[in-house]
Amino acid sequence: MKKWIFISLLLFVSLSFTQVLQRFPKPDFQSGYERPVMQTPAPRSLVLEYLDVGVLLLVLSLTTYFAHRRRSRRLIFTMMIFSIAYFGFFRKGCICPVGSVQNVVYSFFNADYVIPLTVVLFFLLPLIFTLFFGRTFCAAVCPLGAVQDVVVVKPLSLPKWLSSVLSLFPFIYLGFAVLFASVGAGFIICRYDPFVGFFRLSGSFNMIFLGGFLLLLGTIVARPYCRFLCPYGVLLNWFSRLSRRHVRITPSVCINCRLCEASCPFDAIHKPTTAEIPEDKIVLVRRIILICILLPLMMVSSGWMISRLYVPLASVHPVVSLAEEIKLEDSGLRTEVSDATQAFRAAGKSTADLFAEAHAVQQKVKTGGWILGGFLGLIFGFKLIRLTAYRRYSEYEIDQGDCLSCGRCFSYCPVDKNGQTIIRLNTEVT
Amino acid sequence: MMSPSRREFLKSGLGSTALLATGGVAGFISSRSGTGDMVWQLDPNICIQCEKCAVNCVLSESAVKCVHSYSMCGYCDLCSGYLEPGAKDRDTAAENQLCPTGAIKRTYIEDPYFEYIIDEKLCIGCGKCVKGCGAFGNGSLHLQVRHDRCVNCNECRIARSCPSQAFRRVPAETPYILRGEEGMRFVKQIPSLQK
Ligand code: SF4
Ligand code: SF4
Ligand code: SF4
Ligand code: SF4
């Protein structure tokens, strides 16, 4: 693979000698003049890239230790500041595990793309940690999460129906990001990353505006990007539900004192349920039957819907949009030519090839649309089921999927490690 | 509803499945991965100097700058990359210069040769000189992503808007696509190709 890149490079270099017109002969200097040497500064060294992976591993381990063993919000907060400084401002927010999802998908579908090992590690390490310890990555390692976490001032508790609806967006976002990355239409997670402009202290107006808006909103709705947009969060949420160990509010046993009830800004604490009559068997069976009909129906209908949109969706791909422009011009529907079509025509490539390539992309998007629609239908269906299902809680319990392991609730619990109730005067936390 | 022990059992089963799946993905991706890094570069033979490079980089001062392959330069007095097309005089007066920021330094070498050096601090990567040089000269001026500046975005913002699709990811060991003898630099580095 690598060899191919080099061979094409070699080919290109030898071509460039012939292709570029040497209109004027090379001068034959008499005065002993020496030509200057073109400077070619190297990219950031590979050692530093691996150092980043090392830092990621270290910060992940420390945060996990601080959350699980030390149970200290202050230490977690310190890690958060470090992550904002290092992964945010120093490394300029790139590459981050959130965006790496796309690189992984792209390399799955595109054998020509040699995905750097560092990117693979950035993708995997947080997932593996989450599978064992819950979302400690989100707690203090992710720069996007950390930057939102430090602006939480007066978090409101959202009504359940609203957060359920909003929490569908990450699935949609992830689904489309995977679809676009798999057909090579681009990396939309990076394109609409709201905080990277902030880390680089430059960026387009839209980017800065979106980031500013989310941060402002984040003062009253804690971590809006994490909860209602982040596509990587979907995977972390799933993995965290299955985690071997997860942080708990109480270090030993819950005494249902209600002190922690409102401590979580993300509404990730379940209250104990009041004793209710267990569900009727018939109702249960009826619901299962309903689900069995509803799920496939939703999957097929949303698959059909999204695949029908394949033309506008595929036009995000540069080849497809170029083909569309060429068609417009050839049919005389558009008179002024664009840079892109001009460049294409000047290069003398065949339009038939271009159209064939564009058509192939469109077909891929069509198929992908069915899969994506099926996936989203499944998710929506499951969410519906979960809304109607009744789950009993006997004590104050963390929702393992939604909990970001931020550590805020720990200090609210008056029970110590040995199960003794201690009266603490200072329950203030940052 | 589900009893707590059954829930635990299901959870640990799914957990192991997730671990295995992650391992599987890791294995597959590792077979596709390389230990090196990839960086963005533009192919000067495809570039049409549309001037988007100057404005579309995420950095407010673009990472793309003009470079000069001296090995190809004709050292022309009448440099079409330096002088405004209808320039009155062939001199260093600002109104005669094509470059909007005056980033090209013209120095007399010997009759009839002039040397042109890019002052990268001033260059904004607009490609006006590149266009001029390519149209009537030897094409020794061209645009490149400068890796001391580029922050290597996961998706390059210029690549996305480049009308000629001149951008691509290249291995970090060969981070430039240069014209002329200068281009050989990054081919020579690879021993397997020297045979
Ligand atoms: S939810 Fe996403 S953005 Fe938020 S901290 Fe986790 S990975 Fe980062
Ligand atoms: S640790 Fe989890 S449950 Fe506790 S406050 Fe933070 S997010 Fe909420
Ligand atoms: S955007 Fe593309 S065509 Fe335009 S100047 Fe840059 S490389 Fe050249
Ligand atoms: S990768 Fe980013 S910094 Fe580099 S040239 Fe492209 S937009 Fe600019």
PDB file of all heavy atoms in Angstrom, chain A residues 308-324:
ATOM      1  N   ARG A 308     -34.534   7.227   0.178  1.00  0.00           N
ATOM      2  CA  ARG A 308     -35.148   8.050  -0.852  1.00  0.00           C
ATOM      3  C   ARG A 308     -34.427   9.384  -1.010  1.00  0.00           C
ATOM      4  O   ARG A 308     -34.489  10.030  -2.039  1.00  0.00           O
ATOM      5  CB  ARG A 308     -36.624   8.333  -0.500  1.00  0.00           C
ATOM      6  CG  ARG A 308     -37.546   7.165  -0.735  1.00  0.00           C
ATOM      7  CD  ARG A 308     -37.662   6.870  -2.207  1.00  0.00           C
ATOM      8  NE  ARG A 308     -38.205   7.985  -2.924  1.00  0.00           N
ATOM      9  CZ  ARG A 308     -39.403   7.996  -3.493  1.00  0.00           C
ATOM     10  NH1 ARG A 308     -40.151   6.937  -3.427  1.00  0.00           N
ATOM     11  NH2 ARG A 308     -39.834   9.054  -4.121  1.00  0.00           N
ATOM     12  N   LEU A 309     -33.757   9.790   0.055  1.00  0.00           N
ATOM     13  CA  LEU A 309     -33.073  11.087   0.031  1.00  0.00           C
ATOM     14  C   LEU A 309     -31.659  10.972  -0.536  1.00  0.00           C
ATOM     15  O   LEU A 309     -30.835  11.848  -0.328  1.00  0.00           O
ATOM     16  CB  LEU A 309     -33.004  11.656   1.455  1.00  0.00           C
ATOM     17  CG  LEU A 309     -34.331  12.101   2.062  1.00  0.00           C
ATOM     18  CD1 LEU A 309     -34.132  12.485   3.515  1.00  0.00           C
ATOM     19  CD2 LEU A 309     -34.887  13.278   1.278  1.00  0.00           C
ATOM     20  N   TYR A 310     -31.381   9.857  -1.228  1.00  0.00           N
ATOM     21  CA  TYR A 310     -29.992   9.624  -1.597  1.00  0.00           C
ATOM     22  C   TYR A 310     -29.413  10.689  -2.521  1.00  0.00           C
ATOM     23  O   TYR A 310     -28.230  10.979  -2.467  1.00  0.00           O
ATOM     24  CB  TYR A 310     -29.830   8.215  -2.191  1.00  0.00           C
ATOM     25  CG  TYR A 310     -30.293   8.055  -3.614  1.00  0.00           C
ATOM     26  CD1 TYR A 310     -29.382   8.131  -4.659  1.00  0.00           C
ATOM     27  CD2 TYR A 310     -31.630   7.805  -3.915  1.00  0.00           C
ATOM     28  CE1 TYR A 310     -29.792   7.971  -5.967  1.00  0.00           C
ATOM     29  CE2 TYR A 310     -32.049   7.653  -5.218  1.00  0.00           C
ATOM     30  CZ  TYR A 310     -31.132   7.743  -6.240  1.00  0.00           C
ATOM     31  OH  TYR A 310     -31.538   7.601  -7.529  1.00  0.00           O
ATOM     32  N   VAL A 311     -30.237  11.317  -3.338  1.00  0.00           N
ATOM     33  CA  VAL A 311     -29.677  12.313  -4.262  1.00  0.00           C
ATOM     34  C   VAL A 311     -29.139  13.542  -3.511  1.00  0.00           C
ATOM     35  O   VAL A 311     -27.963  13.867  -3.633  1.00  0.00           O
ATOM     36  CB  VAL A 311     -30.697  12.704  -5.346  1.00  0.00           C
ATOM     37  CG1 VAL A 311     -30.143  13.816  -6.213  1.00  0.00           C
ATOM     38  CG2 VAL A 311     -31.041  11.491  -6.189  1.00  0.00           C
ATOM     39  N   PRO A 312     -29.967  14.213  -2.705  1.00  0.00           N
ATOM     40  CA  PRO A 312     -29.403  15.339  -1.960  1.00  0.00           C
ATOM     41  C   PRO A 312     -28.302  14.922  -0.982  1.00  0.00           C
ATOM     42  O   PRO A 312     -27.324  15.651  -0.809  1.00  0.00           O
ATOM     43  CB  PRO A 312     -30.598  15.920  -1.199  1.00  0.00           C
ATOM     44  CG  PRO A 312     -31.655  14.892  -1.249  1.00  0.00           C
ATOM     45  CD  PRO A 312     -31.424  14.085  -2.479  1.00  0.00           C
ATOM     46  N   LEU A 313     -28.431  13.743  -0.378  1.00  0.00           N
ATOM     47  CA  LEU A 313     -27.401  13.314   0.571  1.00  0.00           C
ATOM     48  C   LEU A 313     -26.071  13.086  -0.136  1.00  0.00           C
ATOM     49  O   LEU A 313     -25.022  13.523   0.330  1.00  0.00           O
ATOM     50  CB  LEU A 313     -27.834  12.027   1.281  1.00  0.00           C
ATOM     51  CG  LEU A 313     -28.915  12.165   2.346  1.00  0.00           C
ATOM     52  CD1 LEU A 313     -29.252  10.807   2.945  1.00  0.00           C
ATOM     53  CD2 LEU A 313     -28.460  13.114   3.442  1.00  0.00           C
ATOM     54  N   ALA A 314     -26.126  12.419  -1.287  1.00  0.00           N
ATOM     55  CA  ALA A 314     -24.885  12.101  -1.988  1.00  0.00           C
ATOM     56  C   ALA A 314     -24.195  13.351  -2.510  1.00  0.00           C
ATOM     57  O   ALA A 314     -22.986  13.359  -2.708  1.00  0.00           O
ATOM     58  CB  ALA A 314     -25.156  11.134  -3.128  1.00  0.00           C
ATOM     59  N   SER A 315     -24.961  14.422  -2.712  1.00  0.00           N
ATOM     60  CA  SER A 315     -24.325  15.597  -3.315  1.00  0.00           C
ATOM     61  C   SER A 315     -23.379  16.302  -2.344  1.00  0.00           C
ATOM     62  O   SER A 315     -22.712  17.251  -2.715  1.00  0.00           O
ATOM     63  CB  SER A 315     -25.382  16.574  -3.841  1.00  0.00           C
ATOM     64  OG  SER A 315     -26.142  17.059  -2.775  1.00  0.00           O
ATOM     65  N   VAL A 316     -23.302  15.807  -1.110  1.00  0.00           N
ATOM     66  CA  VAL A 316     -22.268  16.307  -0.197  1.00  0.00           C
ATOM     67  C   VAL A 316     -20.900  15.851  -0.685  1.00  0.00           C
ATOM     68  O   VAL A 316     -19.885  16.490  -0.450  1.00  0.00           O
ATOM     69  CB  VAL A 316     -22.535  15.783   1.238  1.00  0.00           C
ATOM     70  CG1 VAL A 316     -21.422  16.152   2.183  1.00  0.00           C
ATOM     71  CG2 VAL A 316     -23.860  16.319   1.755  1.00  0.00           C
ATOM     72  N   HIS A 317     -20.887  14.726  -1.390  1.00  0.00           N
ATOM     73  CA  HIS A 317     -19.626  14.191  -1.915  1.00  0.00           C
ATOM     74  C   HIS A 317     -19.115  15.090  -3.041  1.00  0.00           C
ATOM     75  O   HIS A 317     -19.864  15.435  -3.951  1.00  0.00           O
ATOM     76  CB  HIS A 317     -19.869  12.776  -2.438  1.00  0.00           C
ATOM     77  CG  HIS A 317     -18.613  11.989  -2.620  1.00  0.00           C
ATOM     78  ND1 HIS A 317     -17.696  12.296  -3.589  1.00  0.00           N
ATOM     79  CD2 HIS A 317     -18.101  10.928  -1.943  1.00  0.00           C
ATOM     80  CE1 HIS A 317     -16.678  11.441  -3.512  1.00  0.00           C
ATOM     81  NE2 HIS A 317     -16.908  10.605  -2.506  1.00  0.00           N
ATOM     82  N   PRO A 318     -17.827  15.470  -3.002  1.00  0.00           N
ATOM     83  CA  PRO A 318     -17.322  16.406  -4.016  1.00  0.00           C
ATOM     84  C   PRO A 318     -17.465  15.892  -5.443  1.00  0.00           C
ATOM     85  O   PRO A 318     -17.743  16.674  -6.351  1.00  0.00           O
ATOM     86  CB  PRO A 318     -15.850  16.596  -3.632  1.00  0.00           C
ATOM     87  CG  PRO A 318     -15.537  15.538  -2.637  1.00  0.00           C
ATOM     88  CD  PRO A 318     -16.817  15.180  -1.975  1.00  0.00           C
ATOM     89  N   VAL A 319     -17.278  14.595  -5.645  1.00  0.00           N
ATOM     90  CA  VAL A 319     -17.383  14.058  -7.007  1.00  0.00           C
ATOM     91  C   VAL A 319     -18.819  14.191  -7.520  1.00  0.00           C
ATOM     92  O   VAL A 319     -19.055  14.578  -8.670  1.00  0.00           O
ATOM     93  CB  VAL A 319     -16.936  12.574  -7.035  1.00  0.00           C
ATOM     94  CG1 VAL A 319     -17.290  11.936  -8.364  1.00  0.00           C
ATOM     95  CG2 VAL A 319     -15.442  12.475  -6.786  1.00  0.00           C
ATOM     96  N   VAL A 320     -19.773  13.907  -6.645  1.00  0.00           N
ATOM     97  CA  VAL A 320     -21.172  13.991  -7.063  1.00  0.00           C
ATOM     98  C   VAL A 320     -21.556  15.438  -7.351  1.00  0.00           C
ATOM     99  O   VAL A 320     -22.216  15.733  -8.346  1.00  0.00           O
ATOM    100  CB  VAL A 320     -22.095  13.381  -5.986  1.00  0.00           C
ATOM    101  CG1 VAL A 320     -23.544  13.481  -6.417  1.00  0.00           C
ATOM    102  CG2 VAL A 320     -21.720  11.945  -5.719  1.00  0.00           C
ATOM    103  N   SER A 321     -21.128  16.343  -6.492  1.00  0.00           N
ATOM    104  CA  SER A 321     -21.524  17.734  -6.720  1.00  0.00           C
ATOM    105  C   SER A 321     -20.875  18.266  -7.998  1.00  0.00           C
ATOM    106  O   SER A 321     -21.482  19.040  -8.734  1.00  0.00           O
ATOM    107  CB  SER A 321     -21.196  18.610  -5.507  1.00  0.00           C
ATOM    108  OG  SER A 321     -19.820  18.776  -5.364  1.00  0.00           O
ATOM    109  N   LEU A 322     -19.644  17.812  -8.261  1.00  0.00           N
ATOM    110  CA  LEU A 322     -18.998  18.231  -9.511  1.00  0.00           C
ATOM    111  C   LEU A 322     -19.772  17.681 -10.713  1.00  0.00           C
ATOM    112  O   LEU A 322     -20.060  18.410 -11.668  1.00  0.00           O
ATOM    113  CB  LEU A 322     -17.547  17.736  -9.535  1.00  0.00           C
ATOM    114  CG  LEU A 322     -16.766  18.020 -10.815  1.00  0.00           C
ATOM    115  CD1 LEU A 322     -16.618  19.510 -11.029  1.00  0.00           C
ATOM    116  CD2 LEU A 322     -15.395  17.364 -10.776  1.00  0.00           C
ATOM    117  N   ALA A 323     -20.147  16.414 -10.629  1.00  0.00           N
ATOM    118  CA  ALA A 323     -20.895  15.796 -11.727  1.00  0.00           C
ATOM    119  C   ALA A 323     -22.213  16.537 -11.957  1.00  0.00           C
ATOM    120  O   ALA A 323     -22.610  16.772 -13.106  1.00  0.00           O
ATOM    121  CB  ALA A 323     -21.157  14.328 -11.427  1.00  0.00           C
ATOM    122  N   GLU A 324     -22.853  16.929 -10.876  1.00  0.00           N
ATOM    123  CA  GLU A 324     -24.120  17.652 -11.018  1.00  0.00           C
ATOM    124  C   GLU A 324     -23.915  18.992 -11.713  1.00  0.00           C
ATOM    125  O   GLU A 324     -24.712  19.392 -12.565  1.00  0.00           O
ATOM    126  CB  GLU A 324     -24.755  17.859  -9.631  1.00  0.00           C
ATOM    127  CG  GLU A 324     -25.503  16.626  -9.170  1.00  0.00           C
ATOM    128  CD  GLU A 324     -25.934  16.697  -7.716  1.00  0.00           C
ATOM    129  OE1 GLU A 324     -25.623  17.707  -7.041  1.00  0.00           O
ATOM    130  OE2 GLU A 324     -26.574  15.727  -7.259  1.00  0.00           O
TER     131      GLU A 324
END
